[in-house]
Amino acid sequence: MMRDGTLVRSWVQRWYAEPDRDVLHDAREGWITGAQLDQRTRRVAAGLHRRGVGRGCRVLLSGANGIDLVVVHIALLRLGAVVVPVNGAYREREVTHIVRDCRPVMVIVDDDAVWSPWVASVDQRCPVVSVAAAARADGSADVPADIDAAAPESPAMIGYTSGTTGAPKGAVLSHANLQASVAALAIAWRWTEDDRLVLCLPLFHMHGLGVGLHGTLFAGGSAVLLDGFDSDRVIDAAGKHHATLFFGVPTMYHRLVECERVSELARLRLCVAGSAPLPPSVHDAFRAATGRTVLERYGMTETVMLVSNPYDGERRAGAVGFPLPGVEVRFTRESGAIVDLSAAAADGGTGEILVRGPNVFSGYWERPASNVAAFIDGWFRTGDLATVAPDGYITIVGRAKELIISGGFNVYPREVEEVLASHPAVAEVAVVGTPSNEWGEEVTAFVVVRSGHVAPHRDALREFCGEQLARFKLPRRVVIVDTLPRNALGKVVKHELRCPPLPGK
């Protein structure tokens, strides 16, 4: 299944072998074949090369799901450039940090007019180009001789993530890392050329890009690209295009089970949930309505996919299953000891997940200190806490770090706290994730009001933060408190924060 060491070469081999097979569909263009995808990405790669994009160059990429975005992404990989996927909802503060950190040679984004001054404030020489314009770049007379020649160990993507410090770090993933993960998924999920995926997950997110798109192209299957989630559109696409697969985050499944047409998804052979735990109630409701048991899995930006419930056998609600082919998992204990899966299953304790394998990244972009802390004897410290059942099923029970996952997106409390703390009425603030059936977790802010000020309303704080933060990071609940609980050293003890019940609960 590895097929020559890099994703792009495995894809090109597929397109040459079956040039007339439909590969991708979007609402604007309809279906395009492997031959068309090969030709278009070659032309765009050449056009971008003429504008100075070459091997090892970082390029920020952000856009709505569609064939144009995919063509640009593949063209960059064929050049050996390093794709830096960025959420289009990011605001100036978030964009400028990434530009300053990775120093891209180009930014390709839907909102080029909005992003241009932000990028220029950091680097006036860096061009900002629209996705539509980049997808029509034509350098067909000047295709680089070394197209598709990137080595497996060469960097392919930098995915920005962060921990409790709130300072986003770029996880550098090689071509081999990306290929190893989808090769394992093809085995574990029986993913073949006969599969067709309804793909509404955003292509700046590892779930949509590193799993949905990359996996489809690797398996030789096809995908229907939807720009955003809507229950009826997903159901319509699954029926019209005879889909077999759907991947989503818990928020999507929550909305699907509320849709009167959800039973129409019984035609799918596999539904996968990830990016946050799927509530057992939603798990059960989806199975009752469709006859399909959702398969939950576990991964992260630094590793793509790690663990999955089995395709054959029990798909246990709340558990993430077993290590994928090629992935090794161990656990730490409070004593500092490192134990294997069998020992963890025997003692039943909680520990931090450690992983290694060909899918695991080599380190963060220009962060030597972070890289030292991130690994123990070659094992990557995920920061996630888990238990192992006697029969080997792994269940995530919490996070050593304070990451919030809301609607499938990562929210880092420190970043939200810093913005909220700049509001004139806020004296102190602590941000945590609180359980939500719809979102997985809600961003919840506990606020101490500054003396002489009126307690700010939630909507006012959301509007204030909206100038600097993406919408999914904005607090959904604001709790006014007299003081924040602190330990003897003055550190806020977040687990002691308690939300009052919502009205009617």
Side-chain angles (χ1 to χ4, degrees):
M1 293 293 289
M2 294 304 289
R3 292 201 296 275
D4 202 22
T6 72
L7 276 176
V8 288
R9 290 202 286 275
S10 74
W11 300 342
V12 170
Q13 288 172 21
R14 285 280 191 183
W15 302 335
Y16 285 175
E18 299 180 281
D20 298 325
R21 177 184 281 270
D22 288 338
V23 179
L24 296 173
H25 179 282
D26 72 11
R28 187 174 67 84
E29 295 197 43
W31 284 103
I32 66 167
T33 65
Q36 292 171 319
L37 198 51
D38 175 44
Q39 293 162 6
R40 287 175 62 172
T41 56
R42 284 175 65 86
R43 288 199 302 268
V44 171
L48 293 172
H49 186 259
R50 290 175 63 182
R51 295 199 58 175
V53 179
R55 188 174 299 184
C57 293
R58 279 83 60 200
V59 177
L60 264 65
L61 181 61
S62 177
N65 283 16
I67 289 171
D68 277 355
L69 183 70
V70 174
V71 164
V72 175
H73 175 71
I74 296 173
L76 290 168
L77 293 179
R78 296 189 76 171
L79 281 173
V82 183
V83 179
V84 185
V86 180
N87 188 337
Y90 278 175
R91 311 309 299 159
E92 181 177 8
R93 180 176 183 268
E94 299 151 316
V95 171
T96 54
H97 169 78
I98 295 175
V99 171
R100 187 175 293 109
D101 191 68
C102 74
R103 305 181 301 280
V105 301
M106 184 179 288
V107 172
I108 303 174
V109 62
D110 280 345
D111 296 328
D112 52 310
V114 174
W115 285 43
S116 289
W118 299 347
V119 174
S121 71
V122 178
D123 184 354
Q124 294 184 350
R125 299 166 300 174
C126 181
V128 180
V129 181
S130 73
V131 171
R136 281 149 187 76
D138 189 350
S140 52
D142 188 29
V143 177
D146 63 350
I147 195 169
D148 303 331
E153 65 272 14
S154 299
M157 284 175 49
I158 298 178
Y160 271 82
T161 184
S162 71
T164 56
T165 64
K169 304 186 293 291
V172 182
L173 290 155
S174 70
H175 287 267
N177 293 150
L178 297 174
Q179 168 136 302
S181 189
V182 292
L185 293 177
I187 296 168
W189 295 349
R190 314 294 195 269
W191 203 340
T192 74
E193 62 186 18
D194 296 324
D195 281 310
R196 178 161 291 169
L197 171 67
V198 177
L199 181 52
C200 60
L201 291 162
L203 296 182
F204 58 77
H205 193 282
M206 191 57 74
H207 195 169
L209 182 63
V211 178
L213 178 65
H214 291 177
T216 291
L217 299 177
F218 180 83
S222 55
V224 180
L225 302 173
L226 300 182
D227 179 17
F229 173 81
D230 174 83
S231 295
D232 286 315
R233 289 180 66 205
V234 167
I235 295 167
D236 287 343
K240 178 180 179 180
H241 297 290
H242 308 289
T244 61
L245 305 174
F246 174 73
F247 301 163
V249 299
T251 304
M252 296 176 182
Y253 284 99
H254 185 275
R255 292 177 181 173
L256 283 169
V257 298
E258 293 182 336
C259 178
E260 293 181 354
R261 300 175 56 202
V262 65
S263 62
E264 297 176 42
L265 295 180
R267 64 165 297 111
L268 300 172
R269 77 163 182 88
L270 179 63
C271 297
V272 176
S275 300
L278 185 68
S281 60
V282 177
H283 201 285
D284 293 343
F286 190 83
R287 182 173 57 237
T290 66
R292 295 288 176 259
T293 302
V294 176
L295 183 151
E296 294 185 72
R297 88 301 178 277
Y298 163 63
M300 55 200 315
T301 302
E302 294 92 337
T303 64
V304 199
M305 290 299 102
L306 292 167
V307 175
S308 172
N309 268 269
Y311 182 80
D312 297 314
E314 181 189 0
R315 299 176 191 175
R316 187 171 298 174
V320 291
F322 307 92
L324 286 163
V327 177
E328 297 178 80
V329 174
R330 290 184 177 179
F331 294 84
T332 62
R333 289 293 181 253
E334 289 186 5
S335 63
I338 297 175
V339 300
D340 61 17
L341 272 175
S342 59
D347 69 30
T350 298
E352 181 182 3
I353 300 174
L354 308 179
V355 296
R356 71 178 180 187
N359 57 306
V360 178
F361 81 140
S362 59
Y364 296 104
W365 172 255
E366 296 183 342
R367 294 289 198 282
S370 295
N371 292 336
V372 171
F375 291 88
I376 300 176
D377 296 331
W379 294 79
F380 174 58
R381 303 181 59 178
T382 65
D384 290 312
L385 303 175
T387 60
V388 186
D391 55 2
Y393 279 81
I394 299 169
T395 298
I396 309 296
V397 296
R399 285 180 289 277
K401 301 176 184 178
E402 297 174 350
L403 175 68
I404 300 168
I405 302 179
S406 183
F409 296 128
N410 291 356
V411 181
Y412 301 99
R414 175 72 174 273
E415 185 179 22
V416 183
E417 287 166 355
E418 288 177 352
V419 175
L420 283 170
S422 66
H423 189 283
V426 175
E428 295 180 293
V429 60
V431 171
V432 300
T434 55
S436 164
N437 282 337
E438 181 175 7
W439 300 101
E441 290 181 294
E442 289 181 336
V443 179
T444 301
F446 290 81
V447 172
V448 177
V449 179
R450 193 176 300 279
S451 177
H453 287 75
V454 176
H457 189 271
R458 185 205 74 150
D459 292 344
L461 286 177
R462 283 173 62 86
E463 182 177 353
F464 177 82
C465 294
E467 296 295 321
Q468 300 183 63
L469 298 172
R471 186 173 180 82
F472 65 86
K473 299 179 182 179
L474 306 182
R476 293 187 177 277
R477 295 191 70 184
V478 172
V479 181
I480 304 300
V481 295
D482 293 330
T483 60
L484 297 176
R486 297 179 183 274
N487 63 18
L489 298 176
K491 183 178 179 180
V492 175
V493 185
K494 289 189 173 182
H495 70 264
E496 293 184 9
L497 294 168
R498 297 287 184 269
C499 283
L502 291 171
K505 295 290 185 179

